[in-house]
Amino acid sequence: GQNIDQPTEMTATEGAIVQINCTYQTSGFNGLFWYQQHAGEAPTFLSYNVLDGLEEKGRFSSFLSRSKGYSYLLLKELQMKDSASYLCAPMDSNYQLIWGAGTKLIIKP
Amino acid sequence: IAGITQAPTSQILAAGRRMTLRCTQDMRHNAMYWYRQDLGLGLRLIHYSNTAGTTGKGEVPDGYSVSRANTDDFPLTLASAVPSQTSVYFCASSDGTFSYNEQFFGPGTRLTVL
C-alpha cells in the first residue's frame, strides 16, 4: 500500500533551524512536493524534488533520497509566520499526489 | 477572478439533502481536483479531471459526483449528504498532469452535515 509518515507536531524557537522529516512508500514515484498550510487556509506550494539531493530556495530547502524513500524540509532563520502545517506529498506512478497528514510546526519567541 | 474560487465558503446541511460545491479557475489549467481534508488525515482525492470533458475517480469517490463541461468550472455534487461527509473541501488545479506541475488550491468550503 501507499504510506506517508511525518511527525505530527514539532516546536522550535524563532531564529533557529528546524528539519521536518518525511518517509514514504508509494506505487511508483514521480517526485515529491512540500506544501505549507496555515490554519484555516489552503495549502500553498513550497518545493518539488524529483532527483536525489538538496534544493535550496531562500530560507527553505528540501532534500530527497529516492533509494531510502526519504525527504526532509529544512527551515532556517525561523520566523513567527512560519507557524503552520507542512505537508509532504509524493507523486505516484499515476501522477496522483499522496498526502501525509502534515506536521504542525509551532514557533516560540 | 484571480486563481481559484470556491463557493460557498461554509455550509450547514441537513442529512439527505443534495448539495453542489462550486469551483472556478481562471488560469486555463487543464487539470482540476477535489480533495477533502479531515483532522488528523492527509488530503484525500475525491475526483479529478485531466482535461475538459473527462473525469476520474480518486481515493474516496463514493457519494460524490463531478462534471467538467468546460476548462474553468469543476463542480462537486453530493447527491444525498451524510454526516460522514462533514469535512473541509478543497478544489485545486494544475497546468497539466505531469510530475512537475504544482497544484494551486482554492480557499476551501467547510461543510457540516447534520
Side-chain angles (χ1 to χ4, degrees):
Chain A
Q2 308 203 95
N3 185 61
I4 315 301
D5 191 26
Q6 50 179 131
T8 302
E9 186 175 297
M10 299 181 70
T11 302
T13 304
E14 190 177 15
I17 298 173
V18 70
Q19 178 175 311
I20 301 174
N21 296 323
C22 171
T23 58
Y24 63 88
Q25 288 179 304
T26 55
S27 302
F29 182 76
N30 280 300
L32 185 143
F33 290 80
W34 283 95
Y35 279 75
Q36 180 189 59
Q37 185 177 26
H38 285 100
E41 298 183 7
T44 56
F45 170 78
L46 285 178
S47 68
Y48 170 69
N49 294 66
V50 66
L51 300 176
D52 289 351
L54 188 68
E55 294 277 346
E56 297 187 74
K57 191 185 293 186
R59 294 190 298 114
F60 292 9
S61 302
S62 55
F63 172 84
L64 176 66
S65 169
R66 290 172 297 173
S67 63
K68 295 182 179 179
Y70 169 68
S71 174
Y72 68 73
L73 183 68
L74 190 71
L75 291 75
K76 303 176 185 177
E77 301 170 15
L78 287 170
Q79 302 175 10
M80 297 303 293
K81 67 178 182 179
D82 297 330
S83 292
S85 289
Y86 292 86
L87 313 180
C88 171
M91 180 173 275
D92 69 11
S93 57
N94 294 320
Y95 296 97
Q96 300 292 356
L97 291 177
I98 310 301
W99 296 84
T103 298
K104 183 178 180 181
L105 178 63
I106 299 168
I107 309 298
K108 295 185 175 180
Chain B
I1 300 177
I4 302 184
T5 58
Q6 293 184 235
T9 301
S10 64
Q11 182 76 44
I12 299 174
L13 189 66
R17 297 296 295 269
R18 180 183 179 90
M19 175 75 190
T20 295
L21 307 185
R22 300 184 298 279
C23 174
T24 300
Q25 53 103 359
D26 66 354
M27 297 177 283
R28 308 304 294 171
H29 283 172
N30 287 320
M32 296 187 76
Y33 312 85
W34 273 107
Y35 293 96
R36 60 178 290 174
Q37 187 175 40
D38 302 290
L39 199 62
L41 299 177
L43 289 160
R44 291 183 291 170
L45 183 65
I46 305 170
H47 285 286
Y48 65 93
S49 169
N50 289 335
T51 188
T54 69
T55 63
K57 294 181 179 180
E59 179 187 357
V60 289
D62 294 344
Y64 306 94
S65 63
V66 293
S67 61
R68 187 88 184 278
N70 57 60
T71 297
D72 299 344
D73 301 300
F74 191 43
L76 176 73
T77 297
L78 289 68
S80 179
V82 295
S84 61
Q85 292 178 311
T86 293
S87 187
V88 179
Y89 291 85
F90 287 104
C91 178
S93 72
S94 65
D95 197 21
T97 54
F98 298 107
S99 58
Y100 49 83
N101 293 131
E102 67 181 273
Q103 293 183 13
F104 295 83
F105 285 79
T109 293
R110 185 174 296 275
L111 181 67
T112 302
V113 183
L114 300 176

